[in-house]
Amino acid sequence: MTKKTVHVAVYDTFSDWEIGATTAHVNRETWQREPGTWQTKTVGLTRDPITTLGGMRIVPDMALADLAPAESAMLILAGADTWDTEELMPFARKARAFLEAGVPVAAICGATLGLARAGLLDTRKHTSNVREFLLYSGYAGADNYVEEAAVTDGDLITASGTAPFEFAREALGRLGVYEPHVLDGWYRLYGHSDPAGWAVLAEYEEQRSGAHVG
């Protein structure tokens, strides 16, 4: 069985809370459902340690130069304080290679600015923190801006930095971690604290446990 890998870009001032709901549920669900089928790997500009905005120290699993779209299920890009500089643009260029290869890219908060600067939002529907945030880049895609918490256009997912659960909903859906009705229940629970969502997930867990026993 082929192992599917979701690659998470990491860099100094990486906004760790923005993608936690996504990576945690990719790992939790896939490990429990089909152990060893999925994994996440962190990717740095180099293998040198980075420090997140929350003060977490991460040693990247691999360097960006070694990342090939064909070996990935998705590239995740979180916000950081340096997306308005040249420092992180190598990740935007790698995102272009992913999209050209038909491999999904999911960007949230400041990472959307990096994609705008690279011209990757010029012809795709997208969102960000606010419209003006992307206008700062001088990009040509303002007419494709959508006033939503998270937007999927083909292989590209974008989201506001205040929408980690909407971001996770789109990414988990694109990866196929949950069936649509289960994903809806997941979002109702985690995105809106709706007890009805818990009932959907509880039923899902029960059915899955029964399938494993059988």
Side-chain angles (χ1 to χ4, degrees), residues 168-189:
R169 177 191 62 199
E170 299 302 307
L172 294 174
R174 186 65 179 78
L175 290 167
V177 172
Y178 293 115
E179 296 178 4
H181 78 283
V182 179
L183 181 60
D184 178 68
W186 180 92
Y187 178 65
R188 287 162 66 186
L189 176 61

Side-chain angles (χ1 to χ4, degrees), residues 88-166:
L88 300 184
M89 291 310 290
F91 286 105
R93 290 191 284 273
K94 185 66 72 171
R96 178 182 295 280
F98 266 62
L99 292 171
E100 290 177 348
V103 182
V105 172
I108 185 170
C109 194
T112 63
L113 177 63
L115 298 192
R117 295 180 64 216
L120 297 179
L121 306 185
D122 288 351
T123 60
R124 297 177 174 91
K125 297 294 183 184
H126 61 275
T127 193
S128 184
N129 299 337
V130 292
R131 185 187 301 270
E132 289 75 16
F133 180 65
L134 295 185
L135 291 176
Y136 169 77
S137 71
Y139 82 134
D143 289 344
N144 291 312
Y145 188 90
V146 182
E147 294 286 355
E148 296 287 347
V151 171
T152 297
D153 185 348
D155 292 321
L156 178 67
I157 296 168
T158 51
S160 164
T162 60
F165 291 108
E166 288 79 3

